[in-house]
Amino acid sequence: LSDRLTSALQTLSRKGRLSDADIDATAREIRIALLEADVALSVVKDFIARIKERAKGAEVHGALNPAQQVIKIVNEELVTILGGETRRLTFAKNPPTVIMLAGLQGAGKTTLAGKLALWLKKQGHAPLLVACDLQRPNAVTQLQVVGERAGVTTFAPEPGNGVGDPVDVARRAIDEAKRAQHDIVLVDTAGRLGVDEELMKQAADIRDAVTPDETLFVVDAMIGQDAVTTAEAFRDGVGFTGVVLTKLDGDARGGAALSVRQVTGQPILFASNGEKLEDFDLFHPDRMASRILGMGDVLSLIEQAEQHFDQEKAEQTAAKLGSGQLTLEDFLEQMLAVRKMGPIGNLLGMLPGAGQMKDQLAQVDDKHLDKLQAIIRGMTPAERDDPKMINASRRLRIAKGSGVAVRDVNDLVNRFFEARKMMAQMAGRFGFGGGGGGSK
Ligand code: GDP
Ligand code: MG
């Protein structure tokens, strides 16, 4: 008896909504995972609050335990925040499109300039690299080297003229791009080791001179907790329209991605993951989410469990169909599933062998479905399970309870038996289902 009681209780706990205790217990783990991934504390707090809110309303999924369920929600929420679908670069209506790179020294701007140039060139563009980092003596040479590797032209101040003015270089580069028909201009700028006013002013001056279509904030994924302050400084000092995360080939878990995204609201467009020009890709929110969570194994387990569960359910229904053991509960479930797919009429024509059922099915519009649903909901579980037991007095009770005429209940029950018979025949013909089990 105690065994049976335990399993009954387990079934109970797997129904309905996630409990606060379930959510709190898992939220603690998530919090630690995010902090370990170097997500900024303020961002973690907001995020956890949001997750708790969302998890409270969530129904328990039959295939997952509550902890897995919460992790699934966390993962979905992470993917959403990190950008859902990846945004593409915005190109100017009148070329050249100007893309300016901004970020701290060592973030990976110059390397990224080469990577982007190669990537764009492969897509048929003709980018021009512009050296506006005149701060360090070898910065121009470094850009020229990556430009050569990418096979694109680099625009730089003539040597021997002393330290050039980056704003002047930027302006002249735009003219040169128009003259030589480059459709994209990639402006590399100087960075400092820390945020400082002079740096921001220079970047803002270059911005004003070239009015970029995109300003990309380049940020080292290893920067960790500092990501928020740095991103805020660049947001306020220069402004940016997109983010590029670099050095993802390192072992940083990439919490900076969540911090920057959450704090600035700007999308992450690209991910850089190595020193070679090819080590570069569009940003994939789903991959980043699982990296930040650091629960790749758990996530794939969850996915497997869900797939297995859905498949099992589908197989069960198919087996029931074939053996003529379909219950009214299944019937309702099927109808609701079909309804979710859209206007029912379009679908019916596509069913194999639906010809003979057409007239019957033609009446199944949405209003009719509502009525059927009300009637079936008005039945006891035993009645749904074994519709043969629905006698005259039960029909009267169901009709009263669901606010329809007895005739409607009769109609439904009769139709159900017809449909069940027909489906069993069809199942035999199309070779699915449990084959041959006797009908009730
Ligand atoms: P900048 O100061 O912002 O222009 O940064 P650089 O492009 O000069 O890059 C600084 C250093 O980081 C260089 O040694 C690059 O080779 C290296 N680097 C840039 N991007 C990546 C990356 O995605 N992965 C790795 N491992 N190194 C990178
Ligand atoms: Mg540089």
Side-chain angles (χ1 to χ4, degrees):
L1 179 82
S2 92
D3 268 358
R4 225 188 278 165
L5 195 63
T6 319
S7 84
L9 282 174
Q10 264 167 2
T11 331
L12 258 186
S13 76
R14 281 181 165 243
K15 284 199 172 138
R17 322 232 157 234
L18 285 170
S19 75
D20 284 358
D22 286 339
I23 297 168
D24 286 342
T26 315
R28 272 195 293 277
E29 277 174 54
I30 303 293
R31 193 187 163 84
I32 293 169
L34 294 178
L35 289 172
E36 275 176 2
D38 270 339
V39 181
L41 186 61
S42 61
V43 174
V44 173
K45 277 187 184 158
D46 284 354
F47 184 74
I48 295 284
R50 200 165 146 168
I51 290 298
K52 282 190 173 173
E53 205 47 52
R54 195 185 141 189
K56 260 176 203 153
E59 297 216 18
V60 172
H61 188 291
L64 308 177
N65 68 37
Q68 290 174 323
Q69 179 86 9
V70 176
I71 292 172
K72 176 180 146 75
I73 292 173
V74 169
N75 187 52
E76 281 171 6
E77 195 70 11
L78 267 179
V79 173
T80 307
I81 290 180
L82 289 173
E85 299 289 306
T86 328
R87 182 171 83 79
R88 300 303 174 109
L89 279 176
T90 313
F91 292 102
K93 276 205 197 86
N94 299 313
T97 296
V98 179
I99 302 174
M100 173 172 155
L101 309 180
L104 292 181
Q105 183 178 320
K109 294 180 295 301
T110 305
T111 312
L112 176 75
K115 291 177 177 185
L116 257 182
L118 179 65
W119 185 77
L120 289 164
K121 193 184 133 191
K122 279 185 182 160
Q123 291 175 26
H125 294 287
L128 177 69
L129 287 180
V130 183
C132 286
D133 179 358
L134 309 179
Q135 219 72 38
R136 289 177 302 143
N138 57 1
V140 175
T141 327
Q142 191 196 347
L143 188 69
Q144 280 166 331
V145 170
V146 295
E148 256 164 53
R149 263 190 227 145
V152 305
T153 316
T154 303
F155 185 87
E158 302 76 22
N161 280 0
V163 181
D165 170 15
V167 176
D168 179 52
V169 172
R171 237 186 242 120
R172 284 191 290 127
I174 303 285
D175 292 339
E176 170 61 13
K178 284 180 186 156
R179 191 195 62 77
Q181 306 205 333
H182 292 281
D183 64 340
I184 295 178
V185 176
L186 283 167
V187 183
D188 185 27
T189 65
R192 303 289 168 96
L193 286 174
V195 171
D196 82 23
E197 246 170 65
E198 210 185 337
L199 158 78
M200 289 301 171
K201 178 160 185 339
Q202 187 180 85
D205 287 345
I206 297 173
R207 174 201 65 200
D208 293 342
V210 299
T211 52
D213 300 286
E214 292 271 15
T215 303
L216 302 181
F217 171 54
V218 183
V219 58
D220 182 339
M222 323 256 272
I223 190 173
Q225 295 281 342
D226 282 340
V228 166
T229 42
T230 311
E232 280 172 340
F234 274 90
R235 177 196 61 194
D236 300 340
V238 195
F240 54 87
T241 55
V243 179
V244 180
L245 271 186
T246 64
K247 311 196 188 178
L248 282 167
D249 49 317
D251 53 12
R253 288 252 302 275
L258 183 62
S259 302
V260 172
R261 170 73 215 196
Q262 184 86 313
V263 166
T264 69
Q266 293 299 347
I268 303 166
L269 299 184
F270 300 104
S272 232
N273 52 3
E275 300 201 45
K276 292 202 298 292
L277 290 190
E278 291 78 14
D279 300 331
F280 171 77
D281 198 359
L282 291 171
F283 177 73
H284 295 286
D286 50 340
R287 288 183 211 163
M288 197 66 221
S290 88
R291 177 172 179 150
I292 292 175
L293 262 183
M295 297 180 178
D297 294 349
V298 179
L299 290 173
S300 51
L301 256 177
I302 289 174
E303 204 171 292
Q304 276 170 18
E306 285 189 305
Q307 271 168 10
H308 187 70
F309 184 79
D310 288 348
Q311 198 183 334
E312 220 167 62
K313 238 180 143 181
E315 275 167 13
Q316 278 167 7
T317 311
K320 276 184 184 170
L321 271 175
S323 61
Q325 284 169 348
L326 194 75
T327 67
L328 271 166
E329 192 67 52
D330 302 324
F331 190 56
L332 182 60
E333 218 170 83
Q334 293 294 307
M335 285 196 299
L336 294 177
V338 169
R339 175 187 227 167
K340 263 196 237 155
M341 293 181 211
I344 191 165
N346 302 345
L347 281 162
L348 295 177
M350 289 162 25
L351 281 175
Q356 36 183 318
M357 294 166 81
K358 242 188 191 140
D359 292 344
Q360 242 193 334
L361 291 170
Q363 299 170 24
V364 188
D365 58 16
D366 277 356
K367 248 205 230 139
H368 194 71
L369 268 180
D370 282 336
K371 202 185 216 177
L372 296 185
Q373 199 176 337
I375 298 174
I376 295 177
R377 294 263 185 260
M379 297 175 179
T380 66
E383 287 166 347
R384 291 181 216 175
D385 220 37
D386 181 13
K388 285 223 163 102
M389 73 188 282
I390 307 178
N391 58 21
S393 69
R394 285 175 185 270
R395 287 174 197 220
L396 190 62
R397 192 207 77 236
I398 294 166
K400 271 195 186 146
S402 46
V404 300
V406 178
R407 176 168 32 87
D408 293 322
V409 180
N410 290 339
D411 233 40
L412 167 65
V413 174
N414 292 339
R415 277 227 199 131
F416 167 74
F417 284 124
E418 264 175 57
R420 186 158 84 172
K421 213 166 83 195
M422 227 178 287
M423 281 174 176
Q425 284 166 2
M426 269 166 59
R429 228 187 302 149
F430 293 101
F432 63 90
S439 75
K440 282 189 191 174

